[in-house]
Amino acid sequence: MKKIFTLLTASFMTLAVNSQTIVDIIVASPVHTTLETAVIAANLQGTLSGPGPFTVFAPTDAAFAALPAGTVDALLANIPALTNILTYHGVAGTALSSSLTNGQMITTLQGQKVTISVNNGNVFVNNAYVTVADIVASNGVVHVIDAVLLPPTGTVVDVIVNSPNHTTLEAAVIAAGLAGTLSGTGPFTIFAPTDAAFAALPAGTVQALLADIPALTNILTYHAVAGNAFSAGLNDGQMIMTVQGQDVTVTINNGTVFINNAQVIVADIVATNGVVHVIDAVLLPAAPVSNGTVVDIIVNSPDHTTLETAVIAAGLAGTLSGTGPFTVFAPTDAAFAAVPTTTLNALLADPNGLLTDVLLHHVVGATALSTDLMNGQSVPTLFGDNVIVTIDLVGNVSIDNANVIVADIEATNGVVHVIDAVLVPATLGVNNVSNSKIGVYPNPVSDVLRFNLGQTTPNTTYQVFNQTGALVLSGKFNSTSTFISVEDLQSGLYTVSVLENNKMSSIRFVKK
């Protein structure tokens, strides 16, 4: 076979030099007699000998022979159907292999699109492999393929509905109200579990899902991918994002494809708006990890015991355990320790007044993920005033004078951002945490981190926190020692806080 294609390629190269048309190339090929017969029967030889340019994906005789028995004869007796298939193999314009990209969709002369997959240098058109590429003609280019491209006749929903092995999936898609969406433009890739796959679930599971539409929708959208993912474009270990939001993992073992633990038993059923792969098991998304409410996050944090005490003392635990949503800027214990003792005592002595006001100044009545925040943004708090967001050139986020040291801890009723200072509204007339700044160098650092602190006292201390908010280093400075060794720290982003006379300043650094 390799020798045949070598000779074929040499023959084609000679023809290309002689500037033959696309039809001349097909006629001269010893492995395209069926295609030649079909082109002549459909009376397309005149068109494909014209100026063009055209790109033709040319199935070999073996490709036609692989169709179900009697298909070729039936097509030759049905010229409209034959023409529909042949024009699905042609493209207006010259599309050399070097211009084709993975995932590219190309509109054919028939009007529908084919999808290009490029995998390790191999090119596929839908599910057909390009065995010989770039046979240049005087009016375009020919690519030899090893399968006949059959234009789709229905959407991915039609594929499911018309399948005798997907009645449960059909019922589920209709019950979840997804039939309309999946009949849309797309494209979509559907991993379609068979009836046997659903039957293998624990007894009562299907009935329970049909009675719980949100749960059913969550599972069905985990079987759908936005875009055309033909089997030829899949790689071992590949992670694919589903419409549900979680990834599925592709495993390829001796040519057998698995999606998570489900085997693809029929691949590449082409639809007008995507592709369907039949699988032998139902894909079950991982249960979402819940951190509880914003109050639960605070209570379960070893670094927020003071905040927990304050929230309970102010009687806000019930409110912040409610529906929300809330965004909480959560000062650490170290942040509270930096507040002057007299100020902290004054707050705790007035739990329903000053303390409540300060705590509400840390809460936003909406979910504000870090990706939602913008530099200079003014965010209204439940206290009734605003905090200001600052984002520096490297993406560090500050809320007023406090650095966000851990962002986006998602809760069932909002989100928590850990901060390294207590936010005190200016209108309350209490002492705020110091706004003094420190400098560190070099940054990034590999071994010794040095500080620009100015005058220090024997009580000047430092604490280093990692990206999870855990304390990893601490100690004291003196007038002759304003540096610390960080060589034992792992590479990553850290926050160092310096406390002096009940005033704290923080800055981030990168350990190389």
Side-chain angles (χ1 to χ4, degrees):
M1 181 63 72
K2 182 176 179 180
K3 183 177 180 181
I4 291 174
F5 279 113
T6 301
L7 294 173
L8 179 60
T9 304
S11 174
F12 282 153
M13 293 296 288
T14 302
L15 289 171
V17 172
N18 293 330
S19 299
Q20 302 296 298
T21 68
I22 286 171
V23 172
D24 293 331
I25 290 173
I26 293 170
V27 170
S29 167
V31 294
H32 286 91
T33 55
T34 306
L35 180 59
E36 175 188 350
T37 300
V39 167
I40 294 171
N43 198 28
L44 291 175
Q45 70 272 28
T47 301
L48 295 179
S49 296
F54 305 105
T55 297
V56 172
F57 302 109
T60 61
D61 294 336
F64 279 103
L67 294 174
T71 300
V72 173
D73 291 336
L75 287 173
L76 292 173
N78 185 343
I79 299 306
L82 179 64
T83 302
N84 185 58
I85 289 178
L86 291 177
T87 53
Y88 188 59
H89 290 74
V91 174
T94 301
L96 296 172
S97 62
S98 57
S99 68
L100 302 178
T101 58
N102 189 45
Q104 182 180 358
M105 299 182 69
I106 303 175
T107 301
T108 67
L109 298 175
Q110 182 258 7
Q112 293 179 291
K113 294 180 179 179
V114 292
T115 299
I116 304 298
S117 300
V118 181
N119 194 334
N120 293 323
N122 297 314
V123 179
F124 298 81
V125 185
N126 287 356
N127 59 335
Y129 174 45
V130 175
T131 57
V132 181
D134 300 331
I135 306 164
V136 179
S138 61
N139 63 340
V141 64
V142 175
H143 303 292
V144 180
I145 56 176
D146 69 350
V148 177
L149 306 176
L150 299 176
T153 58
T155 66
V156 292
V157 172
D158 294 325
V159 172
I160 293 167
V161 169
N162 294 327
S163 168
N165 299 314
H166 289 90
T167 55
T168 306
L169 180 59
E170 175 187 351
V173 167
I174 294 171
L178 293 174
T181 300
L182 296 178
S183 296
T185 305
F188 304 104
T189 297
I190 304 296
F191 302 111
T194 61
D195 292 337
F198 278 102
L201 294 174
T205 301
V206 173
Q207 289 75 13
L209 287 173
L210 291 172
D212 185 349
I213 299 305
L216 178 64
T217 301
N218 185 58
I219 288 179
L220 291 177
T221 52
Y222 187 59
H223 290 75
V225 173
N228 280 331
F230 281 86
S231 61
L234 302 179
N235 294 292
D236 186 43
Q238 182 179 356
M239 307 282 286
I240 304 176
M241 175 71 74
T242 68
V243 174
Q244 182 258 7
Q246 296 185 42
D247 291 336
V248 291
T249 302
V250 178
T251 303
I252 302 176
N253 190 346
N254 293 324
T256 302
V257 178
F258 295 84
I259 307 299
N260 289 356
N261 62 325
Q263 182 180 338
V264 175
I265 53 179
V266 181
D268 302 325
I269 304 173
V270 183
T272 56
N273 65 339
V275 61
V276 176
H277 304 290
V278 180
I279 56 177
D280 68 352
V282 178
L283 307 176
L284 299 176
V289 177
S290 174
N291 292 308
T293 66
V294 293
V295 173
D296 292 327
I297 291 173
I298 292 167
V299 169
N300 293 327
S301 168
D303 299 313
H304 289 90
T305 54
T306 306
L307 179 59
E308 175 187 350
T309 300
V311 167
I312 294 171
L316 292 175
T319 299
L320 296 180
S321 296
T323 306
F326 305 106
T327 296
V328 176
F329 301 110
T332 61
D333 293 337
F336 276 103
V339 176
T341 303
T342 54
T343 300
L344 188 58
N345 289 339
L347 293 174
L348 294 175
D350 188 10
N352 298 315
L354 284 177
L355 180 61
T356 297
D357 291 341
V358 169
L359 291 176
L360 292 179
H361 184 62
H362 290 75
V363 183
V364 176
T367 300
L369 296 171
S370 61
T371 52
D372 300 324
L373 303 177
M374 298 179 292
N375 186 42
Q377 182 179 0
S378 181
V379 181
T381 71
L382 294 186
F383 174 65
D385 62 353
N386 296 315
V387 291
I388 305 300
V389 178
T390 303
I391 304 176
D392 65 21
L393 294 177
V394 295
N396 298 321
V397 179
S398 299
I399 308 297
D400 284 350
N401 64 305
N403 296 312
V404 175
I405 55 178
V406 181
D408 300 329
I409 306 173
E410 294 193 50
T412 56
N413 65 341
V415 64
V416 175
H417 304 291
V418 180
I419 56 176
D420 65 355
V422 177
L423 308 176
V424 180
T427 56
L428 293 185
V430 297
N431 293 325
N432 203 345
V433 180
S434 170
N435 287 322
S436 62
K437 299 295 181 182
I438 61 174
V440 295
Y441 66 96
N443 190 7
V445 59
S446 58
D447 47 12
V448 176
L449 185 69
R450 301 184 182 277
F451 292 76
N452 291 325
L453 297 177
Q455 188 68 32
T456 61
T457 71
N459 295 321
T460 304
T461 62
Y462 65 84
Q463 293 180 315
V464 178
F465 301 89
N466 64 17
Q467 292 183 75
T468 68
L471 180 66
V472 293
L473 284 177
S474 62
K476 285 188 176 182
F477 290 119
N478 58 51
S479 58
T480 60
S481 175
T482 55
F483 60 88
I484 60 176
S485 173
V486 295
E487 62 180 339
D488 291 334
L489 296 181
Q490 295 181 347
S491 298
L493 181 65
Y494 293 85
T495 299
V496 58
S497 297
V498 176
L499 179 63
E500 182 180 12
N501 296 328
N502 290 324
K503 296 181 180 180
M504 184 172 69
S505 296
S506 300
I507 194 170
R508 290 185 176 184
F509 68 91
V510 175
K511 170 62 166 62
K512 293 191 290 187

